[in-house]
Amino acid sequence: ILKSFHGFHPAPQRLCSRFLSGPGAPSWNDYVRPKEFNFASYVLDYWAQMEMEGKRGPNPALWWVNNQGDELKWSFREMTDLTRRTANVLTQTCGLQEGDYLALILPRVPEWWLVAVGCIRTGIIFMPGTTQMKAKDIVYRLQASKAKGIVTTDTLAPVVDSLASEYPGLKTKLLVSDQSCKGWLDFRSLIKSASPDHVCIKSKTLDPMAVFFTSGTSGLPKMTKHSHGLALRSFLPSCRQFLKLKTSDVFWCPSDTGWIMSMLGSLLEPWTAGSTVFVHHLSPFDPKNMIQTFFKYPITYCLAAPSVFRMILQQNPTSLRFPTLEHCCAGGEALLPEEQEQWRKQTGILLYQAYGQSETGVTCGIFRGMKIKPGSMGKAIPPFDIQIIDDKGNILPPDTEGNLGIRIKPVKPLGLFMCYENDPVKTEEVECGDFYNTGDRATVDTEGYFFFLGRADDIINASGYRIGPSEVENALAEHPAVAESAVVSSPDPIRGEVVKAFIVLTPKFLSHDRDQLTKELQQHVKSVTAPYKYPRKVEFVPVLPKTITGKIKRSELRKKEFGQM
Ligand code: ATP
Ligand code: MG
């Protein structure tokens, strides 16, 4: 096992010896389950110590920049100091306690990292949420979690205040701003005067740590509750092998702070490896700015949604040969082989793929250095045992479409969500025999590579053929007229259901004859994929409906087709 870390930082062995030593201690592997784990004390404080001993390079722990030219660099020692102060602000000034819920609704400001880790130090369960939320989204989250506190900016403070009658349960309101606001505690000044001495809680690995909201691609967002085991999972050999991060890496995950991807990519994964977390306060998301950022800062690693890579490619810049970028990984939505290939051609870097959910964290992926199979989302990342199962939980053979399931019996693996908060019915619903059913349809080949077909609801059943939207979308993407497309099922009096494509055209094709283009695109799909998949209906649209995360809401288009909206 130790050999597998060769070439990486020594943290896992050292850290593991801290909590796994003693007679009869299990050897360090993907299946260990120490009773206690706390990311703040085991990871952050460890790297702070390494810095003090001169055993970590000069790169900061957090490197934050914005469009106004502001820049901030914090070492692990500073992070430790500041997050201990934050822990004291949360418990002493705000009176929050272990087990209380705190809504954390901040843009990519450095304080997001302070509050998240401050909560981990104190056992306060934090709930990241995107700042793009509106009043009704916020009140839904507060009510569902019975949150005791909220941390947000001056833009959202009045919105929160307007909800006081609907949700009177807020004991603490913390403001991150340079201005003050009546009724709100000023985080920036409190932290300056708070004590840097704080004793981290000894959290049990399976104690709750955070609640993440799903993207709401298919309905209302669900609250997935995670234990400290989620952070421990980043620590396991398989996760380290997946990303293969070094302390010298500068890791950029531009995902919104409201999503689990940000928690993994902007906090847990890079810091576990002692790497630098790079943050750009880009707001709103701007691909041109992203390109400049890749040229300006020594970013080595980027984890983002496929749409981010897609938008960068669509800029048609003169060069995408980034000086320091070494590795890219896309996750959160289907990555089309066409985009993967374009990215490789233009940047010279392979675009890897990962698959995960708010419920599961990173689930499978192409490990760094592993052979890429176009369109595959990679292999299972232990301790997850992933199988393709039928609706009763029976394992299906390779190359057979089924549900993507994660084994939860006899033992639920580390990193899998505890439950949907306040929703035992839904929690039970997703259990399927010995498995957790992700609700996604996929196949696995004989080498263990998984291929995503679509969300169970998105699969089209046309004249007995089962068609995953991304197969058709990928074929369409190869045509120069198509900037983006969404393929859904549409009712048909004879066939029952047919394939319909909603297409956003590239600027060059906007003035083309639509009937002609429809025929051409249909012909194109027939020529590059099995002809039965071609879209019998085509509609050109200026934009596609998307979630705040930028995922295509196929369910919305489908409901419209079936007249349910
Ligand atoms: P909701 O559950 O509220 O409808 P959501 O499922 O989009 O929203 P998330 O937890 O953010 O919320 O996203 C997880 C889903 O994203 C997966 O279940 C899958 O459908 C999709 N996904 C993630 N990674 C990939 C990938 N590599 N390829 C295809 N789809 C992916
Ligand atoms: Mg989901």
Side-chain angles (χ1 to χ4, degrees):
I1 290 155
L2 295 188
K3 258 194 210 144
S4 68
F5 290 109
H6 184 72
F8 308 116
H9 73 77
Q13 300 123 35
R14 284 166 174 265
L15 289 173
C16 105
S17 67
R18 278 177 65 172
F19 59 86
L20 297 176
S21 56
S27 60
W28 180 245
N29 61 42
D30 281 328
Y31 302 92
V32 290
R33 213 173 247 271
K35 274 216 173 69
E36 283 177 10
F37 183 80
N38 187 287
F39 178 80
S41 56
Y42 285 110
V43 176
L44 224 69
D45 297 354
Y46 167 82
W47 286 112
Q49 183 63 31
M50 288 297 102
E51 277 177 355
M52 270 183 306
E53 292 175 20
K55 293 179 182 159
R56 189 181 170 273
N59 278 355
L62 187 76
W63 186 346
W64 177 93
V65 301
N66 69 9
N67 277 339
Q68 284 73 51
D70 299 319
E71 187 164 355
L72 179 148
K73 288 181 183 175
W74 280 334
S75 64
F76 277 103
R77 265 175 295 175
E78 286 167 304
M79 282 308 305
T80 289
D81 176 280
L82 291 164
T83 55
R84 285 178 177 157
R85 289 172 189 263
T86 306
N88 285 327
V89 169
L90 295 173
T91 49
Q92 292 172 9
T93 319
C94 303
L96 294 171
Q97 290 174 0
E98 186 171 348
D100 285 347
Y101 286 75
L102 177 76
L104 171 54
I105 311 176
L106 289 178
R108 296 178 198 88
V109 287
E111 286 83 358
W112 186 87
W113 282 260
L114 301 186
V115 175
V117 179
C119 285
I120 297 177
R121 288 196 186 280
T122 53
I124 294 164
I125 303 164
F126 63 105
M127 304 188 298
T130 167
T131 50
Q132 297 179 51
M133 284 192 287
K134 302 280 182 286
K136 74 170 182 7
D137 307 313
I138 297 176
V139 78
Y140 161 67
R141 281 158 174 78
L142 295 177
Q143 285 169 343
S145 64
K146 303 190 183 66
K148 291 253 171 71
I150 189 163
V151 186
T152 194
T153 60
D154 38 21
T155 320
L156 282 174
V159 180
V160 174
D161 284 337
S162 74
L163 301 170
S165 57
E166 279 171 87
Y167 184 72
L170 282 177
K171 183 168 146 188
T172 288
K173 295 186 292 180
L174 265 174
L175 184 76
V176 174
S177 168
D178 290 329
Q179 287 139 33
S180 59
C181 182
K182 202 164 158 264
W184 288 73
L185 293 167
D186 176 3
F187 182 78
R188 286 188 175 151
S189 62
L190 284 172
I191 195 167
K192 282 191 198 131
S193 54
S195 161
D197 298 321
H198 180 266
V199 180
C200 184
I201 58 151
K202 286 193 180 308
S203 44
K204 301 254 181 329
T205 302
L206 298 183
D207 283 348
M209 180 181 78
V211 169
F212 301 97
F213 286 85
T214 62
S215 296
T217 308
S218 50
L220 271 182
K222 300 175 281 273
M223 299 171 70
T224 64
K225 188 169 174 176
H226 278 272
S227 69
H228 291 271
L230 178 73
L232 177 56
R233 171 129 195 265
S234 294
F235 218 84
L236 301 180
S238 57
C239 259
R240 315 275 17 99
Q241 285 296 329
F242 166 53
L243 296 174
K244 287 196 173 70
L245 289 171
K246 309 176 288 297
T247 50
S248 55
D249 272 315
V250 179
F251 195 108
W252 188 19
C253 172
S255 168
D256 189 291
T257 49
W259 315 110
I260 194 168
M261 190 196 247
S262 175
M263 183 69 188
L264 295 169
S266 289
L267 202 153
L268 299 179
E269 289 293 337
W271 279 352
T272 298
S275 312
T276 297
V277 167
F278 179 84
V279 184
H280 197 311
H281 187 144
L282 288 168
S283 178
F285 175 75
D286 170 1
K288 276 207 177 65
N289 199 324
M290 264 197 93
I291 295 171
Q292 288 162 4
T293 305
F294 277 124
F295 278 107
K296 190 167 171 196
Y297 298 96
I299 295 155
T300 58
Y301 205 114
C302 180
L303 168 72
S307 55
V308 169
F309 298 101
R310 188 181 309 144
M311 282 162 79
I312 290 176
L313 286 172
Q314 282 171 6
Q315 297 304 305
N316 272 329
T318 44
S319 168
L320 283 179
R321 298 275 155 172
F322 304 122
T324 52
L325 193 63
E326 289 172 13
H327 191 88
C328 294
C329 185
E333 214 189 358
L335 171 68
L336 306 179
E338 174 66 18
E339 291 161 354
Q340 220 167 358
E341 182 52 18
Q342 280 303 321
W343 187 260
R344 188 194 61 76
K345 271 197 195 140
Q346 297 210 33
T347 63
I349 300 165
L350 296 173
L351 180 50
Y352 283 62
Q353 192 178 172
Y355 161 90
Q357 294 189 315
S358 312
E359 290 88 339
T360 65
V362 55
T363 308
C364 56
I366 307 272
F367 287 55
R368 192 167 181 175
M370 187 196 264
K371 181 175 79 176
I372 292 182
K373 291 193 183 181
S376 168
M377 49 195 198
K379 297 188 182 185
I381 302 175
F384 286 178
D385 171 10
I386 308 180
Q387 302 288 343
I388 300 298
I389 54 170
D390 68 13
D391 290 340
K392 296 202 173 75
N394 301 305
I395 297 175
L396 296 171
D399 303 316
T400 313
E401 182 199 322
N403 306 304
L404 193 91
I406 301 174
R407 187 183 293 282
I408 48 169
K409 286 176 193 160
V411 190
K412 196 176 196 179
L414 210 61
L416 198 71
F417 75 130
M418 304 167 75
C419 60
Y420 292 114
E421 181 73 42
N422 264 339
D423 200 342
V425 175
K426 181 86 202 150
T427 307
E428 210 184 300
E429 239 172 58
V430 295
E431 278 195 22
C432 179
D434 290 349
F435 293 87
Y436 156 69
N437 181 357
T438 58
D440 288 319
R441 305 285 291 177
T443 59
V444 63
D445 70 10
T446 48
E447 290 185 294
Y449 280 81
F450 287 89
F451 291 83
F452 181 83
L453 289 172
R455 292 162 184 273
D457 306 343
D458 285 346
I459 302 281
I460 304 155
N461 195 349
S463 311
Y465 290 109
R466 294 176 59 73
I467 302 163
S470 45
E471 303 170 82
V472 187
E473 288 162 12
N474 191 48
L476 286 165
E478 289 175 27
H479 195 283
V482 179
E484 240 185 344
S485 72
V487 168
V488 302
S489 174
S490 176
D492 182 85
I494 300 160
R495 294 187 167 80
E497 276 177 53
V498 294
V499 177
K500 172 159 183 181
F502 288 87
I503 293 174
V504 179
L505 289 172
T506 50
K508 265 200 292 191
F509 284 80
L510 281 174
S511 53
H512 280 224
D513 178 73
R514 299 290 159 102
D515 289 339
Q516 183 60 34
L517 213 46
T518 299
K519 288 200 186 85
E520 196 180 313
L521 288 167
Q522 288 172 328
Q523 195 50 44
H524 167 77
V525 175
K526 280 186 196 169
S527 68
V528 298
T529 179
Y532 66 81
K533 292 180 193 167
Y534 90 90
R536 284 176 192 270
K537 296 186 188 173
V538 172
E539 185 176 332
F540 297 99
V541 288
V543 284
L544 296 171
K546 291 194 178 159
T547 62
I548 305 172
T549 6
K551 294 190 194 197
I552 298 169
K553 285 179 155 177
R554 291 185 193 78
S555 60
E556 202 164 282
L557 294 169
R558 189 175 54 240
K559 280 182 193 151
K560 254 193 216 148
E561 287 304 296
F562 286 85
Q564 293 163 359
M565 278 179 91

